[in-house]
Amino acid sequence: MKKLFLAIGLFACAAIATTASAQDTLAIYRKLDSIAVIDQKVMMPMRDGIRLATDIYRPKGNGKYPVVFSRTPYNFNTWIDGKMVNGPLQAAYEAVSRGYVYVVQNERGRFFSEGEWDILGTPITDGYDALEWMSKQSWSNGKVGLIGCSSTAEWQMAVASQNHPALAAMVAQGFGAGVGRVGKFMEQGNWYRGGAQQMLFTSWLYGTQHDKLAPRLPLGIQQKDVQRLQKFYDMGPEYPRVDWAQGLRHLPVQDIIKNVQGSEGVYEKMIVRKPNDPGWFKGGLYHDNMPMEVPAYWFVSWYDVSSAPNIALFNHVRNAAKSKMVADNQYLVIAPVLHCSYKRATENTIVGERSVGDARLNYDELTWGWFDMLLKGQPNDFKTTQPRVRYYTMGANKWQQAESFPLPNTEMKPFYLASAGKANTRNGDGALSMMPPSKDIPDAFTYDPMNPVGSYGGNVCCTGNAVQGGSFDQSQMELRNDILVYTSDELKDGVEVTGFIESTLYVSSTGLDTDVTIKLIDVYPDGKAYNLDETIQRLRYREGYDKEVFMEKGKVYKVDLTPMVTSNYFAPGHKIRIEVSSSNFPRFDRNLNTGGNNYDESKGVVVENKIHHSKQYPSVIKLPMIKK
């Protein structure tokens, strides 16, 4: 049986089958059919003549209704091997029963849609043209709202910048791969973090990009023929399973997909781009010099791949919107879950190995209240009952609310790195101190690219079996000699850390280029050490992403890392810890330390790296403490 669709999300790598039984599916379809006009595989025309396959579900009768629009690179076919499967039927029923038209569309070049595919459904004019077409239909009230998580959200921002008058509201969840540059973050859609490649795209593109030689339906095929074909030929290729724990180790990086005999596609052109390549600014990414005049409800996860830039985008839109109405209609929810796993929260939500308590939230109620207010103009209690920012504090295990993020009562508390030169492993003498040490006795470790520190848990997505996201006990990992460990004294009073975490390290190396990584940890009284967030910086980009500045042997460099973000209560008896190293693989690609391109190299150079800490070199992490 062919795959129905890949899991919702830009990075979903494993196919999932519908969970509904055949009987349940038929029941859903009958309920939907009783209230809706079902029009599948409408070939919606774009301005250049290319047509995108679109399923439309609308209330019966001659009324005019607002549209809820979902656009995706994934397969939403409701038929497999001649049998009806769930597809979007439940979502369509939910929308139609509430008085909305539900529209789901494949991006250009995906499945039954015509044209050539590129990531984020470019060109962005396709999104504009879809809004134009839907708003002018006889069943439309002229207002459209966008909804989706990950891939069904990430295209929304760039299209919103086109300022189509019908676009009245957005619900964007797990949307980081649509953010190119915002404030301090220049990730180019999660391709980079601190100038290092995030390897999730390698495994994701293996299962997403269609081969350039894949069979296509003829241009101009009629809707009735597509409807007939979808019942026995769903255009969904079967990709051989890959052991990505091994597959991502292949060098050079540019040949990883080729090495597993994957399809040829956009990966090969993207892997050679540097962080400031003009190509990043010509596709479907949103950058902070683009307008954003659309009310938006943003949903973020603490253990997603891009929590910090996502929150930064929320702040940017609030501050940059020209319309007061738009600025006042930006709302944010931050949940303690993995990528696009909001509704998987339970009475005892486990993220990785750590319990974060009852993190449930009625997302349907929030979403439809938002749409009713903005697409229907219905008076409701959304504004009076929903906080501007709703965030979950782990450790305290409770939902909290604020008018802004970071919180107004935030104090940035510095914790300086200190040691007598032996911070290697958790058994070393590394400490976090309120005052910088007087003497520079650096901590040294050897970084071998062929033996990198493994990614264990973390704020990740979609690397198959290579990395499992979430919070895991890092204490065994901390026995590696190439991990420097700095720990605070035991806390007498509990402290809440909520907001952006700033890190400055002073680094020297025997190499031309290397990476520095950092990880924030909550250490429990029993010694278990749970990761909260992590980041990396490629040192050739320490002075900015528009130039590469290599290192001189032994010279000490100031390195400001990309901010981390969290909300965590460190209870009495706990300790605050950070880990410093030069690799976190395969979440991030290995720096081979040569000063070369890295993506086309197969051999690395072993280097000795040092972290300096003194009054002259005040390596520090600044934690956003909340005053109570």
Side-chain angles (χ1 to χ4, degrees), residues 521-577:
I521 308 286
D522 184 347
V523 183
Y524 280 50
D526 63 2
K528 290 183 178 178
Y530 290 109
N531 51 298
L532 298 171
D533 200 2
E534 58 200 10
T535 192
I536 190 170
Q537 182 62 47
R538 187 145 292 177
L539 265 63
R540 69 173 69 183
Y541 296 119
R542 67 190 178 277
E543 296 183 14
Y545 298 105
D546 58 343
K547 57 184 176 181
E548 298 177 68
V549 183
F550 295 101
M551 306 172 73
E552 297 178 25
K553 183 177 180 180
K555 187 175 180 180
V556 180
Y557 297 94
K558 179 182 179 182
V559 180
D560 293 314
L561 286 88
T562 299
M564 298 179 286
V565 70
T566 196
S567 180
N568 187 75
Y569 177 70
F570 293 82
H574 288 224
K575 300 175 183 178
I576 301 169
R577 173 177 290 170

Side-chain angles (χ1 to χ4, degrees), residues 363-384:
Y363 293 97
D364 288 339
E365 178 183 331
L366 299 177
T367 298
W368 293 113
W370 173 254
F371 280 150
D372 287 346
M373 178 180 68
L374 291 167
L375 300 185
K376 290 184 176 180
Q378 288 184 352
N380 60 21
D381 61 0
F382 184 92
K383 289 281 191 177
T384 58

